[in-house]
Amino acid sequence: MTQAGTAFGSVVGAASGLFLDPTRSDWDGTDPRPIAWTAWYPAAADTPDPAPATTGPHDLFLAPAVAQGAALSPARARWPVVLLSHGTGGRSEGLAWLGARLASAGYVCLGVSHHGNTEIEPYRAEGFLCWWERPRDLSVALDMLLQDPLFADRLDMDRTVAAGFSLGGYTVLSLAGAVTELARFQDWAQTQPGAPGGPREFPDLSDRFEDLLRTSAPFRASLERQSRSYADPRVRAVVAFAPAPPVRGFRPDSLAGIRLPVSIMVGRADLEAPHEDCALWLRQQNPAFAVELLGETVGHYVFLNEATDFGRAEAPEICLDPPGIDRRAIHDQAAAFAEAHFRRTLEAAV
């Protein structure tokens, strides 16, 4: 599988925009919840090859070459869909490496930037604490993409799947039917030696909880929604890359009840989402989950885009891999892993 050209003879197109969810407020409680989105898709055959993507002097990551605003390929009447969810504090484009590769294999890939938990806007503690809002973002975005002129009547709702990285792994498992109880995660986290007060993007996160409980009506409303099921019946299979510790907040019975095909990939050297605590624990709850462990030195952030020279110098903790690790090769392997999982599922459903 290559990043541009495919059996369909198309390059990868890309589009982006902003949806608003009127059923939920933003974290200020003043406006509808914003859902910024990016889509990657097979472009029409007459689309010129895109110029190589350029980076600015302070860009941490490279981007794939895509044809912005290109027409969707007419090679199929309707295209299968992949919903994509980024990791903590990231953005939809953080999974461009996956979206572009899967688009080149014949999927329309829809990624969103999760409000309050995305680098495209100021971080909000509410967005980092209320993970259960994320699966709803993807379901709403899919509803709205069906009305977008570029994609209307061109998406196959019977062939929809989902993939996520880190907290995005939690998100897609929620779409499959896993149900959260925050107290389960809090109880587990207290047993972890030297556990930080929050992720690297929000190290004092746990200190914000009580204050938000007193002062934020949107936060209190979200807490009331935490244990709803956010299963989306359109989703037929999920892939979780390095699913993050909030998966320990899932009710075991809800994981055991998942009947969708679930595949998980994680590095053995992942310190942010240790495979024993997260991926293998998930498989213990549901032995049907498939887990693939990558090499002894493969860490968490290998599932981010390839880094620029500036990124490797400025943010080595997320941009620099150990000697012998080729991030592009890992991306090729991971995308092929996801595509094979999705193809098996969708072909079996025909």
Side-chain angles (χ1 to χ4, degrees), residues 24 27 33 85-89 112 114-117 124-138 166-175 178-189 197-199 202 205-206 209 219 222-223 225-228 230 244-251:
R24 296 177 293 168
W27 291 120
R33 181 177 174 93
S85 180
H86 65 75
T88 299
V112 304
H114 298 288
H115 173 50
N117 190 241
R124 297 288 296 257
E126 303 96 311
F128 279 69
L129 287 166
C130 299
W131 326 300
W132 46 89
E133 300 293 351
R134 294 168 58 107
R136 181 67 182 152
D137 289 343
L138 288 168
S166 194
L167 194 53
Y170 160 93
T171 305
V172 298
L173 286 166
S174 297
L175 288 174
V179 174
T180 298
E181 288 180 355
L182 182 59
R184 289 181 178 274
F185 172 77
Q186 292 170 330
D187 290 346
W188 172 78
F202 224 122
L205 184 62
S206 62
F209 189 93
F219 180 68
S222 180
L223 285 177
R225 296 192 289 264
Q226 64 171 286
S227 294
R228 295 180 184 176
Y230 293 101
V247 300
R248 296 301 296 253
F250 285 140
R251 282 181 10 210

Side-chain angles (χ1 to χ4, degrees), residues 108-292:
V108 171
C109 298
L110 171 63
V112 304
S113 296
H114 298 288
H115 173 50
N117 190 241
T118 172
E119 64 190 32
I120 70 170
E121 61 186 33
Y123 287 156
R124 297 288 296 257
E126 303 96 311
F128 279 69
L129 287 166
C130 299
W131 326 300
W132 46 89
E133 300 293 351
R134 294 168 58 107
R136 181 67 182 152
D137 289 343
L138 288 168
S139 294
V140 170
L142 181 57
D143 291 339
M144 294 184 173
L145 197 71
L146 291 167
Q147 305 169 39
D148 186 274
L150 181 60
F151 301 102
D153 299 321
R154 303 296 309 282
L155 304 180
D156 190 344
M157 291 298 95
D158 292 328
R159 296 166 63 80
T160 299
V161 293
F165 160 61
S166 194
L167 194 53
Y170 160 93
T171 305
V172 298
L173 286 166
S174 297
L175 288 174
V179 174
T180 298
E181 288 180 355
L182 182 59
R184 289 181 178 274
F185 172 77
Q186 292 170 330
D187 290 346
W188 172 78
Q190 290 175 1
T191 68
Q192 303 307 295
R200 71 171 64 245
E201 298 87 353
F202 224 122
D204 64 342
L205 184 62
S206 62
D207 296 336
R208 307 295 186 95
F209 189 93
E210 293 300 326
D211 183 59
L212 286 171
L213 201 57
R214 290 192 303 271
T215 63
S216 173
F219 180 68
R220 292 192 297 271
S222 180
L223 285 177
E224 292 296 321
R225 296 192 289 264
Q226 64 171 286
S227 294
R228 295 180 184 176
S229 172
Y230 293 101
D232 191 321
R234 296 170 294 190
V235 174
R236 301 302 183 90
V238 303
V239 170
F241 295 109
V247 300
R248 296 301 296 253
F250 285 140
R251 282 181 10 210
D253 65 309
S254 70
L255 290 167
I258 291 175
R259 296 294 178 261
L260 303 181
V262 172
S263 286
I264 300 168
M265 175 179 277
V266 62
R268 294 177 185 270
D270 193 324
L271 301 180
E272 306 296 326
H275 63 278
E276 298 95 339
D277 294 330
C278 299
L280 297 185
W281 180 83
L282 287 167
R283 188 170 63 185
Q284 288 171 0
Q285 313 315 306
N286 190 326
F289 292 177
V291 176
E292 180 161 333

